[in-house]
Amino acid sequence: MDSRQVIVALDFDDRRAAEALVRRLGGACGAYKVGLELLTAAGPDLVRELVGQGHEVFLDLKLFEIPHSVAGAVRAAGALGASMVTVHSMGGTGIMAAAVEAARDFPGLRVLALTVVTSMTGSDLADIGIAAGPDEQVLRLARLAAEAGCDGVIASPLEAGRLRALLGPEHLIVTPGVTLPDGALPGGTLPDGPRGGALRGGEAGGHARAGTPWAAFAAGASHVVVGRSVTRATDPVAALRRITAGG
Ligand code: C5P
């Protein structure tokens, strides 16, 4: 599998830990995901640094705000040099369209619509008044995202196949919620600490709708996001290589 399709999530609360992992992995993955934890802890300079080193950055802002604020945040992400930014599709067409419009000034920036986070189940959706199950809701939101002009969607590996059929070949389908089967972490894993060890042996790691990276690609995902399975492995380079080698 093309290593450019694998995005490594830098879910750290400390800039030095993130930098150390990037030094180890270098250009072996397609992009690094900077999410709310690292961005809040380390600040936007880290994004500039990664971009300056030639890495693509997926800035996972999960924007859910009024359209004016969403547009401003997307422009700020573009100015930092991010390659991808996320907006919540549950915020509706208005904020997705505002994000797409704001990204026009940054040709290298793609807007991805987050559908239903992989930790949510049908009963979580029912709790917030949504009668549709996760599959139906993901497809509904993906249709809205495409109509609003988004470049792609974020969903779980379980929905990748139906999304590819719905969206056609051009849209990005990015799937977090990937876990590795038994024995897929050469070099073992770090002991579980306060922040948890790597995901092992089909552990779901808080992903209610999980799948392996290879199944996600086979179903039509264009990219997978991998976090702890790589970042908490004792040998992150080998863990990433195992994923890109195809299992
Ligand atoms: O679980 P893992 O460490 O591989 O998480 C990588 C990324 O996947 C996280 O940064 C988060 O954005 C996303 N994730 C998710 N749903 C979860 C857990 C993580 O979408 N339940």
Side-chain angles (χ1 to χ4, degrees):
M1 143 198 332
D2 188 337
S3 63
R4 285 172 300 186
Q5 297 172 302
V6 179
I7 299 168
V8 172
L10 297 174
D11 291 330
F12 294 103
D13 61 3
D14 169 56
R15 177 174 184 156
R16 278 171 307 174
E19 289 172 333
L21 186 80
V22 172
R23 269 197 301 277
R24 287 184 80 173
L25 297 181
C29 60
Y32 288 101
K33 181 168 95 75
V34 175
L36 299 175
E37 180 182 15
L38 184 60
L39 184 69
T40 306
D45 265 356
L46 177 68
V47 177
R48 289 191 196 95
E49 178 186 314
L50 293 171
V51 171
Q53 291 168 353
H55 300 300
E56 292 210 8
V57 174
F58 172 172
L59 200 50
D60 194 12
L61 297 181
K62 295 186 165 68
L63 298 168
F64 198 149
E65 247 284 11
I66 59 168
H68 181 77
S69 299
V70 165
V74 168
R75 279 193 295 274
L80 285 176
S83 300
M84 293 177 242
V85 66
T86 48
V87 57
H88 263 286
S89 56
M90 284 213 210
T93 305
I95 70 167
M96 289 191 281
V100 168
E101 182 58 35
R104 283 195 209 290
D105 292 339
F106 303 93
L109 180 61
R110 284 164 289 182
V111 175
L112 303 176
L114 176 58
T115 57
V116 178
V117 292
T118 66
S119 57
M120 285 186 99
T121 62
S123 102
D124 295 320
L125 290 175
D127 285 347
I128 58 168
I130 295 170
D135 283 14
E136 190 186 340
Q137 183 68 359
V138 166
L139 292 176
R140 175 200 299 265
L141 294 171
R143 211 172 285 121
L144 273 188
E147 284 164 12
C150 291
D151 299 288
V153 294
I154 315 282
S156 91
L158 302 188
E159 294 104 31
R162 263 159 295 177
L163 283 171
R164 184 54 72 203
L166 173 78
L167 297 172
E170 298 301 326
H171 280 78
L172 303 185
I173 296 174
V174 180
T175 64
V178 296
T179 58
L180 302 183
D182 279 330
L185 285 176
T189 61
L190 292 176
D192 286 355
R195 300 176 50 74
L199 304 183
R200 287 165 285 205
E203 249 185 277
H207 300 288
R209 309 190 328 277
T212 69
W214 313 297
F217 284 126
S222 60
H223 297 77
V224 299
V225 177
V226 189
R228 288 162 289 176
S229 296
V230 167
T231 60
R232 305 298 194 262
T234 49
D235 187 345
V237 176
L240 179 57
R241 198 178 301 129
R242 176 73 195 243
I243 292 169
T244 56

Coordinates of all heavy atoms in Angstrom, one line a residue, residues 12-49:
F12 N -0.4 13.7 21.3 CA 0.5 13.9 22.5 C 0.1 15.3 23.1 O -0.4 16.2 22.5 CB 1.9 14.1 22.0 CG 2.5 12.8 21.4 CD1 2.7 12.7 20.1 CD2 2.9 11.7 22.2 CE1 3.2 11.5 19.5 CE2 3.4 10.6 21.7 CZ 3.6 10.4 20.3
D13 N 0.4 15.4 24.4 CA 0.2 16.6 25.1 C 1.5 17.4 25.3 O 1.5 18.3 26.1 CB -0.5 16.4 26.5 CG 0.4 15.6 27.4 OD1 1.5 15.2 27.0 OD2 -0.1 15.2 28.5
D14 N 2.5 17.0 24.5 CA 3.8 17.6 24.7 C 4.5 17.7 23.4 O 4.6 16.7 22.6 CB 4.5 16.6 25.7 CG 6.0 16.9 25.8 OD1 6.3 18.1 26.1 OD2 6.8 16.0 25.5
R15 N 5.0 18.9 23.1 CA 5.6 19.1 21.8 C 6.8 18.2 21.5 O 7.0 17.7 20.4 CB 6.0 20.6 21.7 CG 6.7 21.0 20.4 CD 7.0 22.5 20.4 NE 7.6 22.8 19.1 CZ 7.5 24.0 18.5 NH1 6.8 25.0 19.1 NH2 8.1 24.3 17.4
R16 N 7.6 18.1 22.6 CA 8.9 17.3 22.4 C 8.6 15.8 22.0 O 9.3 15.2 21.3 CB 9.8 17.4 23.6 CG 10.6 18.7 23.6 CD 11.3 18.9 24.8 NE 10.4 18.8 26.0 CZ 10.7 18.9 27.2 NH1 12.0 19.0 27.6 NH2 9.8 18.8 28.2
A17 N 7.5 15.3 22.7 CA 7.2 13.9 22.4 C 6.7 13.8 20.9 O 7.1 12.8 20.2 CB 6.1 13.4 23.3
A18 N 6.0 14.7 20.4 CA 5.5 14.7 19.0 C 6.7 14.9 18.1 O 6.9 14.1 17.1 CB 4.5 15.9 18.8
E19 N 7.6 15.8 18.4 CA 8.8 16.0 17.6 C 9.7 14.8 17.5 O 10.2 14.4 16.5 CB 9.6 17.2 18.1 CG 8.9 18.5 17.8 CD 9.6 19.7 18.5 OE1 10.3 19.5 19.5 OE2 9.4 20.8 18.0
A20 N 9.8 14.1 18.7 CA 10.7 12.9 18.7 C 10.1 11.8 17.8 O 10.8 11.1 17.1 CB 10.8 12.4 20.2
L21 N 8.7 11.7 17.8 CA 8.1 10.6 17.0 C 8.3 11.0 15.5 O 8.6 10.1 14.7 CB 6.6 10.4 17.3 CG 6.1 9.3 16.5 CD1 6.4 7.9 17.2 CD2 4.6 9.4 16.3
V22 N 8.1 12.2 15.2 CA 8.3 12.7 13.8 C 9.8 12.4 13.3 O 10.0 12.0 12.2 CB 7.9 14.1 13.6 CG1 8.2 14.7 12.2 CG2 6.4 14.3 13.9
R23 N 10.7 12.7 14.2 CA 12.1 12.4 13.9 C 12.3 10.9 13.5 O 13.0 10.6 12.6 CB 13.1 12.8 15.0 CG 13.5 14.2 14.9 CD 14.8 14.5 15.8 NE 14.5 14.2 17.2 CZ 13.9 15.1 18.0 NH1 13.6 16.3 17.6 NH2 13.7 14.7 19.3
R24 N 11.6 10.0 14.3 CA 11.8 8.6 14.1 C 11.1 8.2 12.8 O 11.6 7.4 12.0 CB 11.2 7.8 15.2 CG 12.0 7.9 16.5 CD 11.5 7.0 17.6 NE 11.8 5.6 17.4 CZ 11.6 4.6 18.3 NH1 11.0 5.0 19.4 NH2 11.9 3.4 18.1
L25 N 9.9 8.7 12.5 CA 9.1 8.2 11.4 C 9.5 9.0 10.1 O 9.4 8.4 9.0 CB 7.6 8.3 11.6 CG 7.1 7.5 12.8 CD1 5.5 7.8 12.9 CD2 7.3 6.0 12.6
G26 N 9.9 10.2 10.2 CA 10.3 11.0 9.0 C 9.2 11.0 8.0 O 8.0 11.3 8.3
G27 N 9.5 10.7 6.8 CA 8.6 10.8 5.7 C 8.0 9.4 5.4 O 7.5 9.2 4.3
A28 N 8.0 8.5 6.4 CA 7.4 7.2 6.1 C 5.9 7.1 6.0 O 5.3 6.1 5.7 CB 7.9 6.2 7.2
C29 N 5.3 8.2 6.4 CA 3.8 8.2 6.3 C 3.4 9.4 5.4 O 4.3 10.3 5.1 CB 3.2 8.4 7.7 SG 3.7 9.9 8.5
G30 N 2.2 9.5 5.0 CA 1.7 10.5 4.1 C 1.5 11.9 4.8 O 1.7 12.9 4.1
A31 N 1.1 11.9 6.0 CA 0.8 13.1 6.7 C 0.8 12.9 8.2 O 0.7 11.7 8.7 CB -0.5 13.7 6.3
Y32 N 1.0 13.9 8.9 CA 0.8 13.9 10.4 C -0.5 14.6 10.8 O -0.7 15.7 10.3 CB 2.0 14.5 11.1 CG 3.3 13.6 11.0 CD1 4.3 13.9 10.0 CD2 3.4 12.5 11.7 CE1 5.4 13.1 9.9 CE2 4.5 11.7 11.6 CZ 5.5 12.0 10.7 OH 6.6 11.2 10.6
K33 N -1.2 14.0 11.7 CA -2.4 14.6 12.1 C -2.2 15.4 13.4 O -1.7 14.8 14.4 CB -3.6 13.6 12.4 CG -4.9 14.2 12.8 CD -6.0 13.3 12.8 CE -6.3 12.6 14.0 NZ -7.0 13.4 15.1
V34 N -2.4 16.6 13.4 CA -2.4 17.4 14.7 C -3.8 17.7 15.1 O -4.6 18.3 14.3 CB -1.6 18.7 14.4 CG1 -1.6 19.6 15.7 CG2 -0.1 18.4 14.0
G35 N -4.1 17.3 16.3 CA -5.5 17.4 16.7 C -5.6 18.4 17.9 O -4.6 19.2 18.1
L36 N -6.7 18.5 18.5 CA -7.0 19.5 19.5 C -6.0 19.5 20.7 O -5.6 20.5 21.2 CB -8.4 19.5 19.9 CG -9.4 19.7 18.8 CD1 -10.8 19.5 19.3 CD2 -9.2 21.1 18.2
E37 N -5.7 18.2 21.1 CA -4.8 18.1 22.2 C -3.4 18.7 22.0 O -2.9 19.6 22.7 CB -4.6 16.6 22.6 CG -3.7 16.4 23.8 CD -3.5 14.9 24.0 OE1 -3.8 14.0 23.2 OE2 -3.0 14.6 25.2
L38 N -2.8 18.3 20.9 CA -1.4 18.8 20.6 C -1.4 20.3 20.2 O -0.5 21.0 20.6 CB -0.8 17.9 19.5 CG 0.7 18.3 19.2 CD1 1.6 18.1 20.4 CD2 1.2 17.4 18.0
L39 N -2.4 20.7 19.4 CA -2.5 22.1 19.0 C -2.6 23.0 20.3 O -2.0 24.0 20.4 CB -3.7 22.3 18.1 CG -3.8 23.7 17.5 CD1 -2.6 24.0 16.5 CD2 -5.1 23.9 16.8
T40 N -3.4 22.5 21.2 CA -3.7 23.3 22.4 C -2.4 23.3 23.3 O -2.0 24.4 23.9 CB -4.9 22.8 23.2 OG1 -6.0 22.7 22.3 CG2 -5.2 23.7 24.4
A41 N -1.7 22.2 23.4 CA -0.6 22.1 24.2 C 0.7 22.7 23.6 O 1.4 23.4 24.3 CB -0.2 20.6 24.5
A42 N 0.8 22.6 22.3 CA 2.1 23.0 21.7 C 2.0 24.3 20.9 O 2.9 25.0 20.6 CB 2.6 21.9 20.7
G43 N 0.8 24.6 20.4 CA 0.5 25.9 19.7 C 0.8 25.7 18.2 O 1.4 24.6 17.8
P44 N 0.4 26.7 17.4 CA 0.5 26.5 15.9 C 1.9 26.5 15.4 O 2.1 26.1 14.2 CB -0.3 27.8 15.4 CG -0.3 28.7 16.6 CD -0.3 27.9 17.8
D45 N 2.9 26.9 16.2 CA 4.3 26.9 15.7 C 4.7 25.5 15.3 O 5.5 25.3 14.3 CB 5.2 27.4 16.8 CG 5.5 28.8 16.6 OD1 5.0 29.4 15.6 OD2 6.2 29.4 17.4
L46 N 4.2 24.5 16.0 CA 4.5 23.1 15.6 C 4.0 22.8 14.2 O 4.7 22.1 13.5 CB 3.9 22.1 16.7 CG 4.2 20.7 16.4 CD1 5.7 20.4 16.5 CD2 3.4 19.8 17.2
V47 N 2.9 23.3 13.9 CA 2.3 23.0 12.5 C 3.3 23.6 11.5 O 3.7 23.0 10.5 CB 0.9 23.5 12.4 CG1 0.4 23.4 11.0 CG2 0.0 22.9 13.4
R48 N 3.7 24.9 11.8 CA 4.6 25.6 10.8 C 5.9 24.8 10.7 O 6.5 24.6 9.7 CB 4.9 27.0 11.4 CG 3.8 27.9 11.2 CD 4.3 29.4 11.5 NE 3.1 30.2 11.7 CZ 2.6 30.5 12.9 NH1 3.2 30.1 14.0 NH2 1.5 31.2 13.0
E49 N 6.4 24.3 11.9 CA 7.6 23.5 11.9 C 7.5 22.2 11.0 O 8.4 22.0 10.2 CB 8.0 23.1 13.3 CG 9.2 22.3 13.5 CD 9.4 21.8 14.9 OE1 9.3 22.7 15.8 OE2 9.7 20.6 15.1

